[in-house]
Amino acid sequence: MKYVIGVDLGTSAVKTVLVDPQGKVAFEHSEAYPLSRPQPNWSEQNPEDWVKGTIASLKRLMEVSGVEPGQIDGISFSGQMHGLVLVDGEGKALRPAILWNDTRTTAECRKIEKKLGSKLIDIARNRALEGFTLPKILWVQEHEPEVLAKAELFLLPKDYVRYHLTGDYAMDYSDAAGTLLLDVGAKQWSAEIAGAFDLPVSLCPRLVESFEQTGTLLPAVAEASGLLPTTKVFAGGADNACGALGAGILGEGRTMCSIGTSGVVLSYESNKDLNLEGKVHFFNHSEKDAFYIMGVTLAAGHSLTWFKETFAASMSFDELLQGVNEIPAGSSGLLFTPYISGERTPHPDASIRGSFIGMDSGHTLSHFTRAVLEGITFSLRESIEIVRESGKEITEVVAIGGGAKNEAWLQMQADIFGATIIKLESEQGPAMGAAMLAAYGAGWFESLGECAEAFIRPAETYTPNAEQAALYDGIFALYQDVYSQTRELNEKLAQYRK
């Protein structure tokens, strides 16, 4: 029996999965690592923690599974997007990584917009947002010029880990598309964008396809992980691109909703010339010469985690969600907006903050919990509607992540989106997508589509309840009004946030 390994480098932990040729996960293991918030709006991690965690997880995976090292046909990666790692000539990180959910770069975003104007959308296909990589580079250029002066390359999180496993520098197109330095349609680094900010194109690593082999394991890494030095390592992709692979989003009209720390609505796109003027993200897919449209809710699952830790710390998530189905749709007039970390789609606003509206003394913990779930789902529907406005028909949505683990939430998604929700038999998200890239790269299948047919199987479907869907349409219209009506108030309150 042969296997491949998918490595998913997340924000809170690295997850490794051992997958057989039928797409079944034989074993999996996770290693957590810390997140640092040294100042308000900052979010950083030590890149060495990723490397140590990945090697430890691989070692544990091999020990627990009992699989022989020679049975591993390849390894590939999924990684958290946008995070900036600056390395010197010896591959050493020059400072902590600045992560995707770090929002210190508002001034740099305005600088990018002023300098490039409409060229940014024409070339990079995305707006200047605090989470992206170029604003982070410009922040270092402004505040830590001595660090940037020492930098040989910038890398994204998974690429830093893969370098330390193989000694090879590279970045795949799906991850590069989230930097604002890639000409997304032409699939090459933009000398025009880099030059506008006095950045040498040499700061950017070589570009590769997600399924392309980028070396084998270094001897010391192979020994530490229990694998062979000849183990093939493939480039991998951005977590959202890999999540799309793992959900079978490999053809026109295919759409997924992923709810993790953030929330994502993603739809396959084959037209490289599509320009949605930055209303949603437009990125390269991990499939060759394919793309995807994506909307993001910054604090999706994070909103639920925050709510639980703040108001129900002693309860498990299962206990917290147990009473949700007994609460009527609309949470008896209670509305939540999940802007607790700012928002991205359709409001690229780092300063907006969340709210509960309509509270009264009859509301219980279960009402508030259901309102949080509904608010997250309303935010994701805003992305669904933008994709529909682009001309796509969305009648089915594949659900992955935390939002696919609770039946009440799955039905809620069907009712709010007005679409059939599909739950998968084995939902491993981006980790499965990474394993698929290794399987395809290793020659198991003729195409990623063929791999998806072998690996991915639907388990359950949830169809919209007409009465609840109509009710949610009305509440959604109210939800859309909240942002514009509270923005000015949020700006005034910001001065009191210490």
Side-chain angles (χ1 to χ4, degrees):
M1 175 73 79
K2 292 288 188 179
Y3 297 90
V4 290
I5 295 175
V7 179
D8 179 25
L9 191 76
T11 309
S12 58
V14 58
K15 176 181 178 180
T16 56
V17 295
L18 188 68
V19 181
D20 71 16
Q22 287 73 49
K24 294 181 179 178
V25 176
F27 294 93
E28 62 180 87
H29 183 70
S30 295
E31 289 283 336
Y33 33 69
L35 176 71
S36 173
R37 293 190 177 274
Q39 294 190 40
N41 302 322
W42 288 30
S43 181
E44 298 184 341
Q45 279 178 329
N46 179 356
E48 297 307 313
D49 289 341
W50 304 333
V51 178
K52 292 175 184 176
T54 299
I55 293 174
S57 188
L58 288 170
K59 180 180 181 181
R60 185 63 178 157
L61 192 74
M62 295 302 291
E63 288 174 345
V64 172
S65 69
V67 169
E68 293 296 323
Q71 292 179 268
I72 306 300
D73 260 5
I75 299 174
S76 193
F77 301 82
S78 160
Q80 49 168 300
M81 295 178 73
H82 312 309
L84 174 65
V85 187
L86 292 167
V87 299
D88 63 17
E90 297 178 352
K92 180 182 178 182
L94 293 167
R95 71 172 324 282
I98 306 177
L99 302 191
W100 62 274
N101 55 354
D102 185 294
T103 59
R104 76 182 76 173
T105 57
T106 300
E108 286 71 28
C109 289
R110 303 294 83 79
K111 179 179 180 180
I112 292 168
E113 291 169 346
K114 184 176 180 181
K115 192 82 171 179
L116 294 175
S118 62
K119 287 183 180 180
L120 179 66
I121 296 292
D122 293 341
I123 298 170
R125 303 293 181 88
N126 292 281
R127 300 164 96 171
L129 300 176
E130 286 82 358
F132 284 10
T133 318
L134 176 58
K136 302 179 196 310
I137 296 174
L138 299 185
W139 185 91
V140 175
Q141 185 182 60
E142 173 69 23
H143 298 276
E144 300 174 357
E146 71 286 356
V147 173
L148 190 62
K150 296 176 184 176
E152 188 76 14
L153 287 172
F154 86 88
L155 298 173
L156 298 177
K158 77 171 193 323
D159 304 314
Y160 180 83
V161 171
R162 196 185 59 252
Y163 164 72
H164 278 273
L165 267 57
T166 66
D168 182 83
Y169 289 119
M171 187 181 296
D172 78 290
Y173 294 105
S174 72
D175 232 354
T179 65
L180 290 185
L181 282 163
L182 186 74
D183 184 327
V184 169
K187 294 177 70 175
Q188 63 185 23
W189 294 116
S190 172
E192 184 172 0
I193 292 178
F197 303 101
D198 300 318
L199 298 172
V201 177
S202 61
L203 192 65
C204 307
R206 71 184 177 95
L207 291 164
V208 296
E209 298 289 351
S210 294
F211 48 80
E212 191 172 328
Q213 185 176 343
T214 53
T216 55
L217 293 179
L218 294 169
V221 171
E223 183 178 358
S225 62
L227 293 161
L228 297 178
T230 53
T231 304
K232 295 177 181 178
V233 179
F234 301 92
D239 54 4
N240 290 309
C242 287
L245 290 181
I249 309 302
L250 285 164
E252 284 292 340
R254 305 300 297 272
T255 301
M256 79 166 192
C257 176
S258 171
I259 300 178
T261 302
S262 61
V264 167
V265 168
L266 185 153
S267 191
Y268 185 95
E269 180 57 58
S270 58
N271 179 13
K272 73 174 184 178
D273 297 319
L274 182 68
N275 189 335
L276 295 175
E277 300 177 346
K279 292 178 182 176
V280 287
H281 302 318
F282 186 85
F283 292 144
N284 302 78
H285 206 331
S286 285
E287 184 182 39
K288 188 175 183 181
D289 297 330
F291 305 85
Y292 61 88
I293 303 168
M294 186 178 81
V296 177
T297 295
L298 281 181
H302 177 56
S303 290
L304 184 61
T305 300
W306 160 80
F307 179 77
K308 177 194 161 320
E309 291 178 349
T310 305
F311 300 106
S314 63
M315 300 176 73
S316 69
F317 279 106
D318 287 343
E319 290 171 332
L320 180 66
L321 298 177
Q322 196 169 16
V324 162
N325 227 9
E326 299 171 10
I327 303 300
S331 302
S332 300
L334 183 61
L335 184 64
F336 171 71
T337 59
Y339 305 145
I340 61 172
S341 300
E343 191 52 303
R344 186 176 290 185
T345 307
H347 310 296
D349 188 340
S351 62
I352 192 69
R353 289 296 178 266
S355 58
F356 280 105
I357 299 172
M359 291 179 283
D360 68 36
S361 60
H363 287 134
T364 65
L365 179 64
S366 291
H367 285 92
F368 280 89
T369 304
R370 184 174 183 107
V372 169
L373 299 184
E374 289 176 338
I376 294 165
T377 313
F378 284 138
S379 177
L380 292 164
R381 175 170 166 177
E382 293 199 286
S383 294
I384 291 270
E385 293 304 320
I386 293 171
V387 175
R388 283 174 170 152
E389 289 166 8
S390 76
K392 293 186 181 297
E393 184 179 9
I394 298 179
T395 58
E396 292 185 345
V397 177
V398 177
I400 68 172
K405 291 178 170 44
N406 180 271
E407 287 193 3
W409 203 353
L410 286 163
Q411 184 60 51
M412 189 184 297
Q413 290 173 59
D415 295 339
I416 290 177
F417 296 161
T420 296
I421 302 297
I422 299 171
K423 180 181 178 180
L424 300 177
E425 184 181 293
S426 176
E427 195 275 286
Q428 294 291 337
M432 179 60 77
M436 289 171 63
L437 289 171
Y440 175 49
W444 286 11
F445 302 97
E446 292 296 320
S447 68
L448 281 168
E450 184 182 312
C451 181
E453 288 179 9
F455 277 28
I456 301 166
R457 291 170 287 276
E460 298 177 61
T461 59
Y462 298 78
T463 57
N465 174 300
E467 184 178 343
Q468 292 198 161
L471 176 65
Y472 277 133
D473 282 343
I475 300 172
F476 178 62
L478 298 176
Y479 173 90
Q480 290 181 295
D481 285 340
V482 175
Y483 173 79
S484 59
Q485 293 189 25
T486 60
R487 185 179 178 186
E488 183 179 348
L489 177 62
N490 269 278
E491 289 174 352
K492 290 179 179 178
L493 287 170
Q495 63 182 304
Y496 300 105
R497 293 186 193 123
K498 300 290 185 181

